[in-house]
Amino acid sequence: MEDDQHLDAPPLSPSFASPYPMASSPPFCNNSAPITDAALPEPMDTQEDPAPPGVVSDSSPSSIAFQFSSSPPVALSEMASLPRFVPPSSVLLAPIPTLPASLDSTSSNDLNSAQLGPVAPSGIPSTAPVIPSAAPVIPPAFPPSAPLIPSAAPVISSVMPPPPPPIISSVMPPAPMGPPRIASLPPIPPPPVFVPRNEGIAKEQAERDVQKDSNMSNASGDSENLEEYQVSEESRKARERQEQLVQQLMMRRRASALAVPTNDAAVRSRLRTLNQPITLFGEREMERRDRLRAVMAKLDADGELEKLLKAQEVSTDTGAAEGHAADEMQEMEAVQTQPFYTEGSSDLLQARIQIMKYSLVRAASRISRAKRKREGVDEDEEAEFDYVLQGMAQTTMDCSEIGDERPLSGCAFSPDSTLLATSGWSGITKVWSIPDVQKVGTLKGHSERITAVAFSPDARIIATASADRTAILWDTEGFQQRRTLEGHLDRLARVAFHPSGAYLGTTSFDKTWRLWDVNTGIELLLQEGHSRSVYGIAFQKDGSLAASCGLDGLARVWDLRTGRSILALEGHVKAVLGVDFSPNGYHLATGSEDHTCRIWDLRKRQSLYIIPAHSSLISQVKYEPQEGYFLVTTSYDNTARIWSARDFKPVKTLAGHEGKVMGVDITEDGQYIATVSYDRTIKLWSHNNS
């Protein structure tokens, strides 16, 4: 019965026919030597099965390697005539392969009913070749209750892409003698448990979390060393900056939470109680209130609450005292509405008298000349304007000369237009002849760079200003030092002679400008009025007015006869670096760091015109000294430009410098224009050739 049952096992499906030759009798398997990859035959190029022979891939993790004979292939029709074999006494058992998902419960029952013999799944195409095995293996019986679950991913051999996964039952060759006997089957392992994809992802995530927790626990032991490593110099500085910002923020919050009086008299009283100055120079009401708020916030942050509370009690409880302080401040304000004077020297008094006498004559002459031009039949002012501007439009460069080893800061023509003086950062002033620009003299005496130079109206004295806080007067005959003017507390910026030639004005970064007596060297006037450094100065042609400009963005007009500031010109948004009076006496030009040049009308006390002159700051402004038909501006954009004084339109751009243009001057007859630059060169411009 055992033999019959074995013989009645289902034959191999034709779809599993092997492309390799089979022997007339089944080959015997050598159980003593394991089958290796080296024993596999070479693959055959067939269109039906490109996979290498002898290698079968299954969906289970294990795979079965077979060794085939080299006999020619057997046709399907001849397979029925092949001799049946009897299994030997001992059978090699192969690992249980995982069946494909195409097998249903019926095929599983068929496998359980057939204990021996090859089994082929019903879902495999009939054209697949049958692969015989050299070592037959009897498949175990599967319990009908256990479902067959395919694995998630098949294990593929690394040699070649596998064919469709067949399930092949290997059969042992017949024994030479003895009755057939069926080997006992090993216990069936439990089927693999199917894990859904989401649960698998969750499991992997849990494993990663556990690994992360373990890494953190391992690193916790070195937390102190890690902290020491992170606290580097940059980290410490960043932490200090953060703490400072936090302190500033807390200070602002405290200041905003404090109650500060809005009455200016109460603010002054509170500042006096806190031993603070009740007002600062140029400080307004809101600025004073903000300063009080900052002082109170600082006291609160320092823990001096008792002092703060005492000040508050004094200011709140003593209402009568506060009213008295308010009355006192009103009286002070009433007094300040009147002109404020300081006692001056007798030399200043005599200088004011001389300036008044000089300016009255000059002003009368200027007004009579203006009336004659306007009312004269032979005078055509518009034609003169057109003629001069047409000539200036043809201005060209006549000469270019290297003026110093370091950048040049300023230049000035002599009144007779025969000499040109240049100042440089080397501390040396040089004098050049015009128009051939040949050096005729050198002035050495300053220990720092020279910032400005000027000729006296009578052409006998040259004045230089320096960063060493002194101004020196030189004689043009022999170029010898005549007198040193000392008194400024900071470096000087500009220098200018009064039209009478008897006085000299200097500006300084100590926020003052001063008036000196040229003959005696005495300081006649120390004038304050700017909240920041004073940079430029100019005198009106009459001699009665002076204009100063500074880094505070203001230009002020002073009456030299009385010492009063008669006009504050507000309009520039940045520092004002250049200022000059027009020969007509009532127009004033200012050049600023905001790239604009403003024309002011002193009669209207307002800005007459705004010229968008350059693409960089304007370093100096200069009117044509004879009639004021045009003005010239210099800028750090490496150019100087000529503008019409009638409609303030551009006439000519003087381009040629390779660096910032620092200074400019015009001869008395308007024939030559000289510019000096940061590129150390002097350039002479003229329209005579045209």
Side-chain angles (χ1 to χ4, degrees):
M1 290 297 294
E2 294 177 356
D3 295 341
D4 295 339
Q5 183 180 1
H6 174 69
L7 294 175
D8 294 336
L12 293 173
S13 175
S15 62
F16 283 83
S18 173
Y20 298 94
M22 298 179 60
S24 60
S25 61
F28 295 93
C29 178
N30 186 5
N31 297 332
S32 61
I35 299 175
T36 61
D37 293 340
L40 299 177
E42 294 295 328
M44 299 178 62
D45 296 335
T46 59
Q47 298 180 356
E48 293 81 0
D49 188 8
V55 180
V56 179
S57 299
D58 197 8
S59 61
S60 63
S62 61
S63 61
I64 306 173
F66 302 96
Q67 185 177 5
F68 302 101
S69 173
S70 60
S71 302
V74 180
L76 296 176
S77 61
E78 298 176 1
M79 291 182 63
S81 62
L82 292 178
R84 298 178 182 270
F85 61 90
V86 179
S89 58
S90 60
V91 181
L92 293 177
L93 298 179
I96 299 175
T98 304
L99 297 179
S102 62
L103 293 180
D104 54 4
S105 61
T106 303
S107 61
S108 301
N109 297 331
D110 294 340
L111 289 176
N112 295 334
S113 64
Q115 301 295 329
L116 297 175
V119 178
S122 60
I124 301 176
S126 60
T127 58
V130 177
I131 304 175
S133 173
V137 178
I138 299 175
F142 291 87
S145 61
L148 299 179
I149 301 174
S151 62
V155 179
I156 307 300
S157 173
S158 62
V159 180
M160 288 290 290
I167 299 177
I168 300 177
S169 176
S170 302
V171 182
M172 293 292 294
M177 61 182 62
R181 184 174 55 185
I182 299 175
S184 60
L185 297 176
I188 300 174
V193 180
F194 174 73
V195 180
R197 184 172 181 273
N198 294 336
E199 295 181 3
I201 294 175
K203 184 178 180 181
E204 293 178 0
Q205 182 66 26
E207 292 178 356
R208 286 197 296 268
D209 294 341
V210 172
Q211 183 67 21
K212 183 177 179 181
D213 294 339
S214 62
N215 294 336
M216 292 177 63
S217 62
N218 294 333
S220 62
D222 299 334
S223 60
E224 296 180 357
N225 297 334
L226 183 61
E227 183 69 13
E228 293 178 358
Y229 174 75
Q230 289 180 352
V231 180
S232 61
E233 185 67 20
E234 295 181 358
S235 300
R236 185 181 60 81
K237 292 181 179 179
R239 186 174 300 175
E240 291 178 356
R241 288 195 298 268
Q242 183 181 7
E243 292 177 356
Q244 292 178 359
L245 293 176
V246 171
Q247 291 178 1
Q248 292 178 3
L249 179 60
M250 296 301 296
M251 186 75 70
R252 291 178 182 176
R253 288 182 178 178
R254 291 176 181 175
S256 61
L258 293 175
V260 181
T262 57
N263 187 8
D264 186 61
V267 171
R268 292 172 183 264
S269 177
R270 183 74 61 84
L271 289 172
R272 182 183 292 107
T273 306
L274 296 176
N275 296 327
Q276 296 291 330
I278 62 173
T279 184
L280 299 178
F281 179 77
E283 188 179 47
R284 298 181 181 179
E285 289 79 3
M286 295 304 298
E287 297 173 352
R288 189 178 301 110
R289 187 169 181 266
D290 293 339
R291 182 164 61 89
L292 175 60
R293 186 189 298 274
V295 171
M296 294 174 64
K298 187 175 183 304
L299 290 176
D300 188 13
D302 295 341
E304 300 181 3
L305 293 176
E306 296 180 358
K307 187 175 181 180
L308 178 60
L309 293 176
K310 181 180 178 181
Q312 291 179 354
E313 291 176 359
V314 170
S315 60
T316 56
D317 296 341
T318 59
E322 183 175 350
H324 179 69
D327 296 339
E328 182 180 354
M329 294 308 303
Q330 291 178 1
E331 292 178 0
M332 293 177 60
E333 292 177 358
V335 172
Q336 290 179 358
T337 56
Q338 300 177 1
F340 178 74
Y341 297 101
T342 55
E343 184 178 357
S345 62
S346 58
D347 295 332
L348 177 59
L349 178 60
Q350 294 297 323
R352 292 193 189 281
I353 295 174
Q354 295 295 329
I355 291 173
M356 181 189 63
K357 294 179 178 180
Y358 178 84
S359 62
L360 288 176
V361 176
R362 301 264 296 187
S365 174
R366 174 178 57 83
I367 293 173
S368 62
R369 185 171 63 255
K371 288 182 178 180
R372 185 174 60 254
K373 282 187 176 182
R374 181 174 301 178
E375 297 174 358
V377 179
D378 299 335
E379 299 288 343
D380 191 351
E381 188 174 1
E382 295 295 329
E384 292 182 4
F385 258 107
D386 294 338
Y387 176 78
V388 173
L389 295 180
Q390 288 177 3
M392 298 307 300
Q394 305 298 325
T395 302
T396 57
M397 185 190 305
D398 276 359
C399 180
S400 179
E401 182 71 25
I402 296 178
D404 205 338
E405 298 176 354
R406 298 194 64 190
L408 299 175
S409 58
C411 63
F413 279 108
S414 62
D416 55 1
S417 304
T418 58
L419 297 176
L420 174 68
T422 59
S423 59
W425 285 9
S426 62
I428 300 175
T429 302
K430 297 181 180 180
V431 182
W432 310 80
S433 61
I434 298 297
D436 53 355
V437 192
Q438 297 294 325
K439 186 173 66 175
V440 296
T442 302
L443 310 178
K444 296 182 180 180
H446 289 286
S447 59
E448 281 285 348
R449 63 183 182 274
I450 301 176
T451 58
V453 62
F455 270 95
S456 64
D458 55 5
R460 294 186 300 176
I461 302 175
I462 299 176
T464 57
S466 174
D468 60 5
R469 300 179 295 180
T470 63
I472 299 180
L473 302 179
W474 309 81
D475 287 329
T476 54
E477 297 179 0
F479 304 108
Q480 298 296 322
Q481 183 174 341
R482 183 173 182 176
R483 188 171 287 104
T484 301
L485 307 178
E486 298 179 354
H488 280 288
L489 304 178
D490 206 341
R491 66 181 186 270
L492 275 64
R494 291 286 185 264
V495 62
F497 274 96
H498 188 267
S500 64
Y503 310 104
L504 178 71
T506 57
T507 60
S508 172
F509 278 74
D510 60 3
K511 304 179 184 179
T512 65
W513 68 272
R514 308 194 183 199
L515 189 67
W516 309 81
D517 190 329
V518 173
N519 298 322
T520 61
I522 298 175
E523 178 185 309
L524 299 175
L525 175 64
L526 188 154
Q527 185 64 63
E528 296 177 341
H530 289 273
S531 59
R532 297 187 65 183
S533 303
V534 186
Y535 199 84
I537 188 171
F539 290 97
Q540 190 192 31
K541 299 302 179 182
D542 299 343
S544 59
L545 303 178
S548 63
C549 61
L551 304 186
D552 55 359
L554 292 178
R556 288 186 175 272
V557 180
W558 307 87
D559 189 347
L560 297 178
R561 298 164 296 185
T562 61
R564 296 179 57 184
S565 174
I566 60 175
L567 190 59
L569 306 177
E570 299 180 1
H572 288 288
V573 296
K574 289 187 178 180
V576 184
L577 305 178
V579 61
D580 193 27
F581 278 97
S582 173
N584 60 19
Y586 52 87
H587 280 170
L588 179 71
T590 57
S592 172
E593 195 175 342
D594 60 6
H595 309 174
T596 64
C597 175
R598 285 178 177 260
I599 309 299
W600 306 86
D601 193 334
L602 303 183
R603 301 169 300 180
K604 299 180 180 180
R605 295 175 174 263
Q606 64 182 9
S607 176
L608 179 64
Y609 198 85
I610 302 175
I611 305 175
H614 294 273
S615 60
S616 185
L617 66 86
I618 298 176
S619 57
Q620 197 167 357
V621 178
K622 194 72 175 179
Y623 266 101
E624 183 263 317
Q626 189 67 29
E627 297 293 340
Y629 290 131
F630 62 89
L631 70 154
V632 181
T633 59
T634 59
S635 172
Y636 276 17
D637 61 1
N638 304 349
T639 63
R641 295 184 179 180
I642 303 174
W643 306 87
S644 170
R646 177 176 53 186
D647 50 10
F648 308 106
K649 292 183 178 180
V651 176
K652 181 71 174 180
T653 299
L654 308 180
H657 285 287
E658 298 178 357
K660 300 173 286 189
V661 183
M662 307 289 284
V664 64
D665 198 13
I666 307 173
T667 57
E668 290 290 335
D669 54 3
Q671 297 296 322
Y672 293 101
I673 299 174
T675 56
V676 293
S677 171
Y678 195 83
D679 60 6
R680 306 173 299 160
T681 62
I682 308 167
K683 295 190 183 300
L684 192 65
W685 311 82
S686 174
H687 58 88
N688 291 332
N689 296 332
S690 61

